[in-house]
Amino acid sequence: MLFSWLFISWFLQMPTLIFIIAFPSCLNDTKHYLYQDGTVIIGAFLPIFQLYPLKEMMNWKTLHFDKENGLRINVQEYQLVLAMLFVINEINSNSNILPNTSLGLEIYTLPYYERNILRNIFYWLTGLSTSIPNYSYRQQSKSVAVLTGISWQTSENIERLLNLYKFPQLSLVPFDHILNDRSQFPSLYKVAPKGESLLCGIVSLMLYFNWTWVGLVTRDDHSGNQFISHLTKEFNKNNICLTFVWAISVIGETMYHLSNSFYFKIGKTSAKVVIIYGDIKFIFFETENIYRKFILEKVWVTTSKLLGSKYPEYNMLSLSHGILTFSPHHGEILGFTKFIKEATPIKYPEDSFLHFLWSSNFNCSFSPTDCKILENCMPNASLELLPKKKFDMVMSEESYNVYNAVYAIAHSLHEMILNKFQIQPQANKDRNTYYPWQLHPFLKNIQVLNSVGDHVVLDWKKKTDPEYDIINLWNFPTGLSLFANVGKFSPRSSQGQRMSVYEQMIQWPIKFTETPQSVCSESCTPGFRKVIPKGKVICCFDCIPCQENEISNETDMQQCMKCPETHYTNAERTQCLRKTITFLSYKDPLGMGLTIISLGFSALTGLIIGVFVNYRDTPVVKANNRSLSYILLITLTHCFLCPLLFIGLPNTTTCILQENLLRLVFTVALSCVLAKSIIVVMAFQITAPGRKTRWLLISRAPNLIIPICTLIQILFTSIWLCTSPPFVEVDAHSERGYIIILCNTGSTLAFHGTLAYLGVMAITSYFMAFLSRNLPDIFNEAKFLAFSMLVFCCVWITFLPVYHSSTGKAVVVIEIFSILASSASILSLIFVPKCYVILFRSEKNTIHAIFNKRLHRSKTLFKL
């Protein structure tokens, strides 16, 4: 009983067992090609199958693979076959093209080893299952052209063989300049659009997002090396740097050699953006789990869509989520999607590729004898049911190139037939015989519009730069994927309008919550400038603050801009602000205070003059030459008013009067003090009989000191005014944010010379008064004169270092303070004591008091 149940179970599983055994065997043993008869045949060699290693640690160098399981069908590349079937059916149903001629096709798959590529070419040329050069089993070949792709090595190898027969070859590879050399490849035509604008598009995208620190992965072949060279030049022009360049070894159409060091390089680099050039999508799906985090943390910018049939179910964390792809823009081919939906093994039983798809995706049983599916598939099966990660119903870039290639051949053949009838209108012999080499002149000059209105041109010199759509791959949790158009690059648009990006639509890789930044150094904000350290690339720099009075109002400026003299920088040093014109004004608190003090001392001096005039006949006033006291007090009044010349908006007149009038007034004051000191000394010297100085004192000779000293000062100031007079100066540096208007003394020598002259007079007065400080007289003012001159000298000696160490309005304030302090010292030390005696000790201000004082002193001396 148990044996019966086992037999029944084994019998029910028989179709599955047959499929498991038969399917790998058919993949390796069947000669994979598709043939559809016609008056004219177009051949094609397409990479429909791919070889994958079964082991994670496969030795790629030995190229040793398990033949039963290593070969798999590339579902996405099968769209090339469908595109060729569709366009041929479309042309055959169009009576305006080749009305009496039908097109057929013969499609071979490209071997997965590069060394076996020519084997299928010989199969096609000879019509046999063995390779016999220069031999054809067919009586008459109907083939007029062949399509090849999708790598340039394959197209180059095939062309070198087909060129021996002058056989036209239309390559589906992306645009590559190496294949444009007509002397080396006279029979090769390129269908793909020009690729120069792709470089500009990538650069524009980098600049749009400010990605200046990126990596590059490409194939290690001529096309990849050429791309590296051109991209590096464009990056250098736009200050974008490549942090690493990784070239992946290519083995045939589908095999690649990728070492573990590649993933360590990806993980180590600080760049968040990596550019992938070429069809190297296996990077995302051959990655071991230990490297997964490296891939998830990068934004991948590619030049081809990443699809394939081997990849397992994936979700939002998929490695390919958020990829940005540049895809040439083309119109939508009407009817193509419907054609794909209706393509089944029943409708095309001769298509072995379609049988493989059905058996591997729709749980169909496989016949081991003829490698055809059995009638036990799921009902209503269609390619539309496949997830987009495996098969996209939208026509791909390569399929569009197939569509245009067939149209170019059809129109060229149509022109050739018309030309043949025009040359030999009566000849019927060999009218339907076409030789491939006859098609070359027409292929070279073909310029037609396809069904969507796009230009089809094979001459690379006449090709125009295409527009590129920027595609963003979205992966959803259910394993579904969607290619969203998130931007466009139009190379023919004006500068600044070429790149348009719908940033809000972009789905970034799951590791990024906002637009990623890929820079070596953060941008230097306004107020800083870039400095590139020695030995580093231009993208890695330091940010240095702008110096004083320099600004940078843009990011990443290499030089700061200097503000004009009339402007100053704000605290952030991002803009120049106009300086405020200022001077020591009467409205300023300091200017107002100095004005009040100046007028106050001047008024006080006036009161003292009034007291002296009112008590002019008293002994205190009459002592020490009353007239000199009046002159001194009047001069001090002017000294106190001189600071008013320093306050207010300076002009040429006030600048001249400031220093010269001040020195003239001080000269008069000091000469009065000097005269007083001399008179005191002389008064006590002439008390002895026979002194000759008595005549000098009576004749008022000391009073001549005033005009003599004044004339000398006038001489000095005249020389000053004639050589280098004071002038108005604008000081834009002393005080931040202000332009200070003040007076420049002009000649430094004259300034210090006249000041030294005043110092000599003050020191002379001090010594004269000091000598007579102890002479006996009740009204002897020698002590007061000496002390006032000492204070005067101290004030102006202190003035000099402070004056020279100050700037701006402080210079003016210091000079005003020195004027007031020195004048106040003379007033307070000489005249205040006298006023005190006159006003508060009037009993001492009489002749009787004077005699009593003298009598008391005489008695004291007699007793001693």
Side-chain angles (χ1 to χ4, degrees), residues 410-656:
H411 279 279
S412 299
L413 188 60
H414 185 83
E415 292 293 329
M416 186 181 73
I417 294 172
L418 291 178
N419 184 68
K420 189 174 183 179
F421 271 89
Q422 291 174 0
I423 295 175
Q424 297 176 335
Q426 304 298 328
N428 294 321
K429 184 179 179 180
D430 297 332
R431 181 171 291 178
N432 294 326
T433 301
Y434 311 111
Y435 297 101
W437 56 267
Q438 295 176 325
L439 201 60
H440 281 295
F442 303 95
L443 287 173
K444 292 178 182 178
N445 299 316
I446 188 68
Q447 293 190 51
V448 296
L449 296 176
N450 61 15
S451 61
V452 296
D454 291 341
H455 288 274
V456 179
V457 181
L458 299 182
D459 186 355
W460 70 273
K461 295 181 180 179
K462 299 177 182 178
K463 288 178 178 290
T464 58
D465 291 320
E467 290 186 351
Y468 283 91
D469 293 328
I470 302 176
I471 309 298
N472 187 216
L473 177 58
W474 299 353
N475 287 323
F476 296 98
T478 58
L480 301 176
S481 61
L482 174 65
F483 287 101
N485 192 336
V486 296
K488 182 176 66 174
F489 177 72
S490 304
R492 293 186 295 274
S493 299
S494 59
Q495 193 72 26
Q497 297 181 348
R498 295 180 179 180
M499 176 67 67
S500 58
V501 179
Y502 315 117
E503 192 171 350
Q504 66 278 5
M505 292 180 59
I506 298 178
Q507 293 289 325
W508 300 109
I510 199 66
K511 286 286 185 178
F512 300 104
T513 57
E514 57 184 10
T515 302
Q517 297 296 318
S518 186
V519 294
C520 179
S521 301
E522 293 293 333
S523 296
C524 293
T525 58
F528 293 81
R529 64 182 179 92
K530 292 199 308 183
V531 175
I532 302 173
K534 187 177 181 179
K536 288 191 176 182
V537 295
I538 193 172
C539 300
C540 301
F541 49 82
D542 297 328
C543 295
I544 306 299
C546 291
Q547 296 182 357
E548 184 67 29
N549 207 40
E550 291 185 349
I551 66 163
S552 62
N553 53 7
E554 297 179 1
T555 57
D556 292 337
M557 290 188 66
Q558 295 185 352
Q559 295 294 335
C560 295
M561 299 181 297
K562 194 173 184 65
C563 288
E565 292 291 335
T566 57
H567 291 71
Y568 72 102
T569 61
N570 57 353
E572 296 78 16
R573 297 183 181 176
T574 58
Q575 58 180 332
C576 294
L577 305 176
R578 184 174 291 278
K579 292 181 178 180
T580 303
I581 297 177
T582 185
F583 49 88
L584 187 60
S585 172
Y586 292 104
K587 296 180 180 179
D588 292 339
L590 187 59
M592 187 179 298
L594 292 175
T595 301
I596 293 173
I597 294 174
S598 177
L599 295 176
F601 274 110
S602 180
L604 178 62
T605 306
L607 290 177
I608 293 175
I609 293 173
V611 170
F612 268 58
V613 171
N614 189 38
Y615 295 93
R616 58 185 176 276
D617 295 326
T618 60
V620 173
V621 176
K622 293 171 66 176
N624 297 104
N625 201 322
R626 179 171 54 188
S627 60
L628 288 178
S629 297
Y630 289 155
I631 296 173
L632 180 58
L633 287 172
I634 295 172
T635 304
L636 288 176
T637 304
H638 289 86
C639 288
F640 285 122
L641 294 177
C642 280
L644 300 181
L645 293 173
F646 292 81
I647 303 173
L649 180 63
N651 53 58
T652 305
T653 303
T654 55
C655 287
I656 293 175

